[in-house]
Amino acid sequence: MSGGKKLSNSELIGDAGIALIHGKINAMGHAWRAQNLDAGIDGSIELRDPATGEMSNRHLLVQSKASNNPFPGETAERFHYICDERDLEYWMKASAPVVLICSHPKSGEAWWVHIQSYFFEPARRADRRVDFTKSTMGLAGDITGHLFAIADPEGRAHTPAPTRRPEKLTSNLISVHAPELVLSYATKARTPGEVYKAQRDSGLPFRHDFALSGGRLWTWSEVDGTSLGDQVLGFPDAHEIDAIATEDAAGERLAVRLLNNALRDDLNDDCAFDRERHLLYVRATEDLSIRKWHTGGSNSRTIFKGYPSKTDRSRISYYRHDALGWQFLHVDDTWFCAITPDYYYSWDGRRESKRSASLLANIKRLDHHAAVRQQTVMWASILCGEGNLVDAPRSRLLEFGQLQTFALDRGIDDAAWKRTTPTATAPEQPVLDLFEESE
């Protein structure tokens, strides 16, 4: 067999490197073409619009360097590659962009660099060295936008375009039905603080469903026998809430204030109100243990949880509460509530943490479409009185419908629009605890 034809290991690894590139480019939706006569270029990529399938006639030339052994200086974070002088000279004078791809075919890893831009600086050109940073130069996932930016930097945008297909858009608007009438009483109280103090002194349960305006106390139901009873004078006048809302700007503000306070009163058993941020957040459990909301079947979502300190695991660093921001809107004689999921961070289950701003910034960076949608649906369900957030359901002032949906004849391929993170797309687990943020 010694006189027979042979294929070296390096040739096999080189072929595997080409196959790896072919597979990754194909997975992104672009065309790979191998080059039979290799003089420093192994093949080319023709870019294709991933939304329409239209070929762009924009090409990148590719040189593959494959090895199953570590590259020079390789660590978990980086390595470097010294280009051959003749190769580099050949690449730099190419009329099309040249991409160098170094890979480990055995592990399926690859990293890339655009040669002409990387060696634009004379000092780098003289050095011939490419320093690869694995975290930012990986040929992984969909890098279509980067490739188009190289191959067609001054061309038209290649962001995914809407295609004709039926699609249902679910909004964050939920319809609201409020009582038709509100009552107004003459009162001597001038500020909400006075009313709350009097309620505290009465020893009766607090009512939040009131507003002060024009020397009168406005509320959704009679005050006799309640903590508001001592704050009014005489009998009430009845008013249509829609008439108040359409009377003038001041009337609309009063109607919205009454709706805000009605919502606060409806959810008071389970949600506390943060006046500064104007949001409702899930109350802590009495023993500060985890609180969950059942989303159906065996699924649930953690809506209150404490996070231990990294330096002292026996100490809780902060608590995360799911929270609700909202806005009432009066559109074509119908009331809607715009839901904005949010978070509240406390250090003791009630008072806001001093680190709240940085914790919010961290979690907002993690929140993608799937997470926000899930929270929106959860709050809509809570507003509708579904589920079991409220241990002992009681009658409510406001009745909520369903999230408003809209039928469209155009849609966007979400996979092409933005690659979602595994966290955001992970299927629902028996217990959803999606945001295990670090300190």
Side-chain angles (χ1 to χ4, degrees):
M1 294 296 293
S2 59
K5 292 185 177 180
K6 296 182 178 178
L7 195 60
S8 68
N9 287 336
S10 63
E11 288 175 303
L12 284 174
I13 293 171
D15 189 57
I18 296 294
L20 179 65
I21 295 170
H22 187 173
K24 288 180 177 293
I25 296 301
N26 184 269
M28 288 184 226
H30 307 297
W32 165 259
R33 297 188 180 92
Q35 193 154 307
N36 294 326
L37 293 176
D38 177 6
I41 295 295
D42 289 309
S44 65
I45 302 168
E46 182 177 357
L47 299 177
R48 167 180 166 272
D49 191 311
T52 65
E54 179 187 357
M55 298 302 291
S56 68
N57 199 21
R58 297 293 178 181
H59 303 261
L60 298 104
L61 304 177
V62 176
Q63 176 63 40
S64 168
K65 298 295 181 183
S67 175
N68 284 332
N69 295 319
F71 288 107
E74 181 163 358
T75 66
E77 292 80 27
R78 59 180 60 88
F79 66 88
H80 67 265
Y81 181 82
I82 305 295
C83 300
D84 181 88
E85 174 58 34
R86 291 179 302 171
D87 281 345
L88 188 52
E89 183 179 354
Y90 182 67
W91 298 336
M92 291 297 287
K93 62 185 181 183
S95 57
V98 176
V99 172
L100 171 65
I101 299 177
C102 293
S103 66
H104 290 319
K106 197 170 184 178
S107 63
E109 298 171 292
W111 302 271
W112 68 286
V113 64
H114 175 210
I115 288 293
Q116 286 97 329
S117 63
Y118 190 87
F119 287 109
F120 179 77
E121 293 180 14
R124 276 188 174 173
R125 172 67 181 82
D127 199 35
R128 296 186 287 117
R129 168 171 165 153
V130 179
D131 288 296
F132 283 90
T133 301
K134 291 184 174 180
S135 61
T136 58
M137 301 169 78
L139 185 66
D142 190 349
I143 59 169
T144 293
H146 295 291
L147 297 181
F148 264 118
I150 295 170
D152 193 15
E154 297 177 358
R156 62 184 173 88
H158 290 277
T159 51
T163 57
R164 287 194 175 278
R165 63 178 186 184
E167 188 158 293
K168 186 172 77 172
L169 176 67
T170 301
S171 74
N172 67 333
L173 291 176
I174 187 169
S175 58
V176 186
H177 177 73
E180 292 183 2
L181 299 178
V182 293
L183 305 177
S184 73
Y185 295 82
T187 181
K188 293 182 178 179
R190 292 293 177 265
T191 66
E194 291 179 39
V195 178
Y196 276 113
K197 181 179 183 304
Q199 290 195 78
R200 191 178 299 109
D201 293 341
S202 74
L204 296 170
F206 276 92
R207 285 181 59 172
H208 302 287
D209 61 320
F210 73 91
L212 296 176
S213 178
R216 301 186 73 80
L217 186 147
W218 301 70
T219 185
W220 291 95
S221 61
E222 294 186 354
V223 300
D224 293 344
T226 74
S227 56
L228 292 177
D230 292 339
Q231 296 301 298
V232 302
L233 304 170
F235 295 99
D237 293 332
H239 311 262
E240 291 185 1
I241 186 67
D242 286 346
I244 296 174
T246 56
E247 185 177 354
D248 54 25
E252 184 176 13
R253 287 195 295 271
L254 173 60
V256 168
R257 196 147 38 107
L258 284 164
L259 289 167
N260 287 338
N261 293 341
L263 178 62
R264 181 183 172 189
D265 199 75
D266 281 347
L267 297 186
N268 186 58
D269 287 347
D270 281 278
C271 294
F273 179 65
D274 183 79
R275 189 176 304 279
E276 187 172 340
R277 292 181 57 200
H278 186 72
L279 55 75
L280 290 163
Y281 61 93
V282 174
R283 291 188 188 276
T285 50
E286 289 186 4
D287 59 357
L288 299 179
S289 59
I290 290 175
R291 187 173 191 181
K292 299 170 184 174
W293 180 73
H294 293 281
T295 57
S298 60
N299 297 329
S300 62
R301 173 185 169 80
T302 300
I303 54 177
F304 170 76
K305 183 179 179 180
Y307 290 81
S309 165
K310 279 186 174 179
T311 55
D312 180 2
R313 305 298 292 180
S314 65
R315 182 178 64 82
I316 294 296
S317 176
Y318 58 86
Y319 295 91
R320 193 200 71 215
H321 311 241
D322 273 26
L324 168 69
W326 77 92
Q327 182 178 10
F328 284 103
L329 304 167
H330 196 221
V331 181
D332 294 336
D333 297 327
T334 302
W335 285 103
F336 294 94
C337 180
I339 296 172
T340 305
D342 212 321
Y343 300 95
Y344 180 83
Y345 288 93
S346 68
W347 61 270
D348 63 351
R350 187 169 62 89
R351 286 167 286 191
E352 189 167 23
S353 168
K354 292 180 179 178
R355 300 172 53 202
S356 182
S358 62
L359 292 168
L360 274 171
N362 287 339
I363 201 166
K364 295 290 185 183
R365 279 195 290 270
L366 296 174
D367 270 0
H368 294 297
H369 168 73
V372 175
R373 184 179 188 283
Q374 183 188 59
Q375 294 169 75
T376 302
V377 171
M378 181 193 78
W379 278 110
S381 178
I382 291 172
L383 293 177
C384 290
E386 299 172 357
N388 62 347
L389 179 63
V390 178
D391 294 332
R394 61 187 177 97
S395 61
R396 294 183 177 187
L397 294 166
L398 305 181
E399 296 178 7
F400 290 85
Q402 301 298 315
L403 288 171
Q404 299 295 296
T405 60
F406 304 91
L408 305 176
D409 63 355
R410 289 181 180 272
I412 289 178
D413 181 355
D414 290 335
W417 176 256
K418 183 176 178 61
R419 184 162 58 95
T420 55
T421 64
T423 296
T425 57
E428 291 192 356
Q429 300 298 315
V431 174
L432 290 177
D433 190 9
L434 301 179
F435 309 108
E436 296 288 351
E437 66 273 51
S438 58
E439 292 179 77

